[in-house]
Amino acid sequence: MNTTFSLHAGITTWIFVFLVIATAIVMWYYYRYTIPSSSRLQKNILRTLRFLAVIFAILLATEPIISITRKSILQPLHYVFIDNSFSMSNESQGYKKKSLVNDFIKLIRETVPGGTLRVYSFGSNLKMISEDSVQFLQYKESATNFSEIPAELLKSESPVSSITLISDGIQNEGEDPTGKLERIHIPVFSVACGDTTAKKDIVIAEILANNPIYAGVVTPLRVNLLCNKLGGKAATIHLYEETNQISQKTITLSEGINQITTDYTPKTAGEKKITATLDLVNGESNRDNNSKTIFITVKESKQKILLVAGTPSADLTFIKNALQADTNLIIKTIVEIGQNKTLEPYNSRVLDSASAYFFINFPLDGSSPQLVQQLLTHIKTNHKPFFIIPPEQNATTKLELLSDQMPVRIKPGPAGSLPGQVVISGDNLRHPILLASGMADAAIWNDLPPVLRLNYDAVAKPESDVLLLFKSGTNILKQPILAARSIGNQRSITLLVKDIWRWQLSLKGHQEFFGGFILACNKWLTAGSDHERLVVHTSRKVYTLGERIDFAAELYDESFNPLSDEKITLELIGKNFKNTVQFNPINNGIYESSIEVPATGDYTYIARYEGTPHLTKTGRITIGGQDLELQNSTTDKAFLTNLSRNTGGEVYFSTIPPKYLEILKKLSTQNQSEKVSISEIPLWNNMWTLVVVILLFSFEWLMRKRSGML
C-alpha cells in the first residue's frame, strides 16, 4: 500500500512562503534587543516559539486540511458457487458428484493466486464457506435457488474475474439469474454435474386454480402434466380435497404438456388442501414427482355490496349494473320511495353482511332515522367502507352524521347545480383508484360529457386524497369533486356530482370506462376490509421432512401503525405433536420464528398476541409433500449452456479441462485494479491545533516572565 500526505489551505503557496519569510524577519528583529539583556540561546528560543505560534495562527485562519491518499492494488477474485441441494447427492450410473466437486475445488485453488478464491454453497439460501469445508457439504438442501448470486457479486469491492458454477442446473425456487449476470459483464463458467440423458418420466408440474374461491360455487381445477418419452400410454390422475376424492380421470398421454381439467365445488369455507396424484405408469423412471399439493382459501360467500338510495335514479341503475358485471359480487339494494318506505323490504342482515356501502342521493332529510342510525353504527363500529354521492337541495341534517367519516367537510353552497366537466387533480395520479381502472389519463376525462356539480362547498380533510376537480367553462374550481380517505381501517369515497350515468353512454372507444371506475372504487374500498392487525405467513405451504419452517409475523395497532417489541407466541399442532415458540422482534412491527417438525403430516399453526385486544391468527401447512429436489433428476443442460454463453463463459460436462484453468490464470493477471482512498483531517477546527498555539504562546510568555522582560 502506498500512502502520501498533502496539505491544503485557503492561500496560495507563494503567499504562504512570503508570510513565513516575513514572520521570520519580524521575529528576528523583534528579539534583536531585549530589556534586560538576554543570551543568544534564549533569544533564539523565544524567536522560535513566537515564530511557530504565529505560523500556526496563520494556518488556522486559512482553514488548512491534511489529505491522506492511500493507493492499493486489488487482486481480482474468483467466485465459485457450489450447488448444495439434495439433487446433487443423487448418484446415478456410477456417477459420483460429491467427489467430483472436491476435485474441482482442489484444481481451482491450485490455479488461482492465494487469497483470491471465494467459495459459496447454495440451496434455498446462499452461504459463504471456506475452501477446506467443501468436503463436508451434505448436499441436503430442499430446494435450489440461483437468484441470490448476482446480488452477492455486486457486494465485492475487489474486481471479479470469473464466476464458476458447479451444479446440475435443476432450479426450483427463485428467478432465473441469467439476465442479471449478463449485466454484470463477468464470464460464468458452468460445470454441469449429473446425467444429461432425458429419462422416461411423467411429472405433475402444477395445479392451477383461482384463489380465493367461494363455497358452493363451481371452480375449475387444472392439472398440468409433463410427459417425456411415454407418449401414447394411459395415465390415471386423482384429485383430492383433504382425503376425499374429487375426481379420477384417465387420459392418453402425449409428449410435452398435458392438461386435465376438473370442476370443483367446495361445500364449506376455510383453507382447503388440494392434492393431485398420478398412478405409476409402466416404464416411468421416477415416481417421486407423481404428486402435488396446494392450498386454496374458500370464502363463505361472494362479496356483498349494499346500494342505498334516497330515490330511484338513473345513477343508481347504472352503478348497480356496473357492479353486477363482476360475477364475484352479490348486489343488494335499499331504495327509499317515501317516508319510512322502501321499494323492497329489507332486514338488518343485509346491512350486517355487506362488505361495502354505496350511498346514492342519500341520506335525505326525510330518510328513515332508524336506517340512517343502523348504517352509521356499522360504519363507526364495524368500520364499513362506503362510497357516497350526497343528495342535492342542501339536505345536510342527516348528512352531517356521516361528516366525520367522509373525506371532505361540506357545507351548503349556492343554490342550484352547476354544469361542467371533471378534470384530474395532478397531485394523485398514482392513486390505486385511478391506476386500477386505467384512468390516470387526462385526455379520457376531458372527453367525458358534462355532469352537474352538487351545490356544496367542500374542503378536503388533511388525510384525504383529492382525485378529481371541477371545470366550469375555462375555470377550474379548487374544490374536490372526487376524494378518497383511508385512515386506520376505515375507508370512504365522496363524489360531489350527479348524472354520472352520461359517462357510460357517450364515451366513444372507452365503453368500459364507467364500469371500470365504479369497480375500481369498490376494489379500493373493500381492500381495506382485508387488512388484519396480526398477519402470519410462511415461505410456502408444503415442506419436506427435516426442513426448517420459517414463520414471519406483522403486528399493527388500531390505526395500522407497526407495533414492535411485543410478545407473540406461535403454537404448531399436528398428530402426536405440539410445540410452542415465541416470535423474535426484528424491526418496524416485523417478527420471525422457526420450528423443525420430526414427522410428516398436516399441521395447524396458531399465532397469539396477548395484548389489548387479544389477536389470533391460524393457518395450515403440510410436511412430507412432493420433494422439489426429486421432481427432476436430469441435469438441465439447456439452462447451464444458455447462462454461460450469454455471459461470455463456457460450459463443461463432468470435467474441468486444462483450457479452463489457463483462462483463470490469464484473468488473474489481466483484471487487477487500483483502489484509491482519500481521507481528510481538517486542522482548523481541531482542538489539538488550538492547544499547540496556546502552548507556544504560553511557553514564550513564561520565559519572558522569568527573565523579567517587558
Side-chain angles (χ1 to χ4, degrees):
M1 179 180 289
N2 184 20
T3 304
T4 58
F5 298 86
S6 59
L7 179 66
H8 305 279
I11 57 175
T12 65
T13 302
W14 293 109
I15 294 176
F16 181 70
V17 171
F18 171 78
L19 290 175
V20 169
I21 295 172
T23 302
I25 293 172
V26 171
M27 293 305 104
W28 178 83
Y29 183 82
Y30 186 80
Y31 279 107
R32 185 178 179 187
Y33 301 103
T34 60
I35 300 175
S37 180
S38 57
S39 66
R40 178 178 294 180
L41 176 62
Q42 188 176 19
K43 288 180 181 179
N44 288 336
I45 292 174
L46 289 171
R47 284 173 181 148
T48 301
L49 290 172
R50 176 67 67 90
F51 172 78
L52 292 174
V54 172
I55 292 301
F56 269 100
I58 292 173
L59 282 173
L60 286 176
T62 59
E63 300 183 354
I65 296 175
I66 294 178
S67 293
I68 305 173
T69 303
R70 297 181 177 89
K71 296 181 180 180
S72 58
I73 301 299
L74 297 178
Q75 293 294 334
L77 302 179
H78 300 272
Y79 279 75
V80 177
F81 297 93
I82 303 172
D83 188 344
N84 191 36
S85 65
F86 185 72
S87 63
M88 286 286 288
S89 68
N90 181 26
E91 310 291 0
S92 61
Q93 301 179 359
Y95 192 77
K96 304 295 183 183
K97 298 179 186 176
K98 296 181 183 178
S99 59
L100 187 63
V101 171
N102 294 335
D103 293 340
F104 287 167
I105 295 299
K106 183 179 179 181
L107 281 173
I108 296 172
R109 181 167 54 183
E110 293 172 351
T111 302
V112 303
T116 63
L117 182 60
R118 300 290 184 270
V119 182
Y120 289 78
S121 69
F122 69 96
S124 296
N125 298 292
L126 191 65
K127 180 182 179 182
M128 187 175 183
I129 60 175
S130 66
E131 301 166 24
D132 295 330
S133 63
V134 172
Q135 59 184 314
F136 301 112
L137 290 176
Q138 298 298 310
Y139 301 99
K140 289 186 177 180
E141 292 274 350
S142 60
T144 306
N145 186 347
F146 293 83
S147 63
E148 296 181 8
I149 293 177
E152 187 65 29
L153 294 168
L154 293 174
K155 295 178 184 177
S156 176
E157 294 184 357
S158 299
V160 179
S161 280
S162 70
I163 305 166
T164 301
L165 187 64
I166 303 176
S167 172
D168 55 17
I170 302 172
Q171 182 178 6
N172 43 47
E173 266 193 7
E175 62 181 14
D176 188 333
T178 304
K180 291 182 179 179
L181 289 174
E182 282 185 67
R183 291 190 286 272
I184 296 177
H185 303 295
I186 302 170
V188 177
F189 300 93
S190 299
V191 181
C193 296
D195 188 356
T196 58
T197 304
K199 301 177 180 63
K200 295 181 179 180
D201 196 16
I202 306 171
V203 180
I204 298 183
E206 58 187 346
I207 305 173
L208 301 176
N210 292 330
N211 196 12
I213 59 178
Y214 300 93
V217 178
V218 177
T219 299
L221 299 178
R222 296 178 178 87
V223 181
N224 286 342
L225 303 179
L226 297 180
C227 175
N228 187 52
K229 295 186 176 182
L230 288 172
K233 290 186 176 291
T236 301
I237 299 92
H238 307 265
L239 271 170
Y240 297 89
E241 179 201 83
E242 309 299 340
T243 58
N244 301 316
Q245 182 167 291
I246 302 171
S247 73
Q248 173 181 320
K249 289 189 176 183
T250 300
I251 64 169
T252 300
L253 295 168
S254 58
E255 290 295 313
I257 299 176
N258 297 260
Q259 189 174 87
I260 300 94
T261 302
T262 297
D263 287 337
Y264 167 53
T265 307
K267 296 179 180 179
T268 58
E271 195 170 37
K272 305 298 182 181
K273 177 184 175 183
I274 305 297
T275 303
T277 63
L278 174 69
D279 290 347
L280 184 65
V281 176
N282 186 31
E284 189 176 3
S285 62
N286 182 9
R287 66 178 305 167
D288 292 316
N289 51 24
N290 285 9
S291 67
K292 189 81 172 179
T293 298
I294 65 170
F295 283 84
I296 299 177
T297 300
V298 179
K299 293 189 174 183
E300 186 65 43
S301 62
K302 295 183 177 182
Q303 192 179 70
K304 297 177 181 177
I305 306 299
L306 176 62
L307 275 64
V308 185
T311 58
S313 67
D315 282 347
L316 169 63
T317 301
F318 277 75
I319 291 175
K320 181 179 180 180
N321 291 339
L323 292 170
Q324 286 178 331
D326 186 342
T327 57
N328 289 320
L329 300 179
I330 297 176
I331 311 303
K332 299 290 184 180
T333 58
I334 299 176
V335 182
E336 295 184 317
I337 55 175
Q339 188 75 28
N340 294 324
K341 293 181 181 179
T342 58
L343 197 61
E344 296 177 353
Y346 71 93
N347 55 53
S348 60
R349 289 196 301 273
V350 175
L351 279 61
D352 297 339
S353 61
S355 298
Y357 300 142
F358 276 70
F359 300 143
I360 297 97
N361 195 31
F362 180 89
L364 298 168
D365 282 346
S367 294
S368 165
Q370 181 181 3
L371 174 60
V372 173
Q373 190 58 49
Q374 286 177 324
L375 292 167
L376 184 62
T377 300
H378 282 294
I379 291 172
K380 289 185 174 181
T381 305
N382 301 325
H383 307 290
K384 295 281 188 181
F386 66 93
F387 171 103
I388 182 170
I389 300 177
E392 53 183 336
Q393 304 299 329
N394 291 334
T396 59
T397 304
K398 288 189 171 67
L399 186 60
E400 287 178 355
L401 298 175
L402 292 171
S403 61
D404 289 342
Q405 281 69 42
M406 290 171 59
V408 296
R409 300 190 185 280
I410 59 176
K411 61 181 181 180
S417 299
L418 181 66
Q421 288 182 298
V422 295
V423 293
I424 289 185
S425 170
D427 297 333
N428 292 291
L429 289 176
R430 305 295 299 174
H431 193 277
I433 292 178
L434 297 179
L435 293 177
S437 51
M439 294 182 295
D441 184 353
I444 295 178
W445 292 95
N446 290 336
D447 289 340
L448 291 175
V451 289
L452 295 176
R453 177 177 176 269
L454 298 175
N455 51 342
Y456 294 101
D457 288 332
V459 177
K461 296 178 180 178
E463 67 274 15
S464 300
D465 295 320
V466 177
L467 307 184
L468 297 177
L469 300 173
F470 194 77
K471 182 173 69 174
S472 179
T474 59
N475 297 323
I476 297 179
L477 306 181
K478 297 301 182 181
Q479 293 188 19
I481 287 299
L482 178 68
R485 175 178 181 264
S486 177
I487 182 168
N489 52 357
Q490 173 70 65
R491 292 191 172 196
S492 58
I493 298 173
T494 296
L495 180 60
L496 295 175
V497 293
K498 68 174 185 175
D499 291 346
I500 61 173
W501 59 269
R502 297 177 180 175
W503 295 347
Q504 173 70 19
L505 298 180
S506 304
L507 196 63
K508 296 181 180 179
H510 297 282
Q511 285 77 14
E512 297 179 357
F513 170 85
F514 181 80
F517 168 62
I518 297 300
L519 289 174
C521 290
N522 179 68
K523 183 177 180 180
W524 182 81
L525 287 172
T526 54
S529 64
D530 293 334
H531 289 179
E532 296 177 327
R533 290 182 52 192
L534 177 60
V535 179
V536 180
H537 47 83
T538 59
S539 59
R540 56 183 189 271
K541 287 288 191 178
V542 182
Y543 294 85
T544 56
L545 183 62
E547 190 176 0
R548 188 183 71 179
I549 306 164
D550 294 320
F551 291 85
E554 301 171 35
L555 183 64
Y556 303 92
D557 63 14
E558 291 183 354
S559 297
F560 280 84
N561 298 311
L563 287 176
S564 301
D565 300 320
E566 299 289 337
K567 182 180 179 181
I568 306 175
T569 59
L570 176 69
E571 184 177 26
L572 190 64
I573 304 171
K575 185 178 181 181
N576 302 322
F577 178 85
K578 186 176 183 180
N579 190 15
T580 302
V581 296
Q582 187 166 323
F583 276 98
N584 300 313
I586 305 301
N587 57 35
N588 200 33
I590 298 175
Y591 300 75
E592 291 182 351
S593 186
S594 62
I595 294 180
E596 291 187 2
V597 180
T600 60
D602 294 335
Y603 292 81
T604 299
Y605 62 82
I606 306 172
R608 295 184 177 91
Y609 169 57
E610 304 294 342
T612 304
H614 178 82
L615 301 175
T616 301
K617 180 66 177 179
T618 62
R620 295 177 61 193
I621 58 173
T622 288
I623 310 296
Q626 180 186 12
D627 194 328
L628 294 175
E629 290 296 304
L630 297 177
Q631 192 175 45
N632 184 8
S633 59
T634 303
T635 298
D636 194 338
K637 176 182 176 181
F639 167 71
L640 295 176
T641 301
N642 180 65
L643 175 62
S644 294
R645 289 179 178 174
N646 287 355
T647 56
E650 296 182 3
V651 60
Y652 311 111
F653 297 94
S654 308
T655 184
I656 291 184
K659 176 185 176 183
Y660 163 74
L661 300 177
E662 290 299 322
I663 293 174
L664 291 188
K665 288 181 181 179
K666 186 177 180 180
L667 291 173
S668 297
T669 59
Q670 287 182 343
N671 294 336
Q672 289 183 348
S673 66
E674 184 180 64
K675 180 182 179 182
V676 179
S677 61
I678 300 175
S679 58
E680 295 182 340
I681 303 176
L683 298 178
W684 57 274
N685 65 350
N686 190 295
M687 180 186 69
W688 294 108
T689 307
L690 183 60
V691 169
V692 169
V693 174
I694 294 173
L695 287 176
L696 290 172
F697 278 119
S698 299
F699 287 150
E700 181 200 14
W701 180 82
L702 286 172
M703 288 186 66
R704 292 173 60 90
K705 194 72 174 176
R706 288 173 63 87
S707 301
M709 293 183 184
L710 298 175

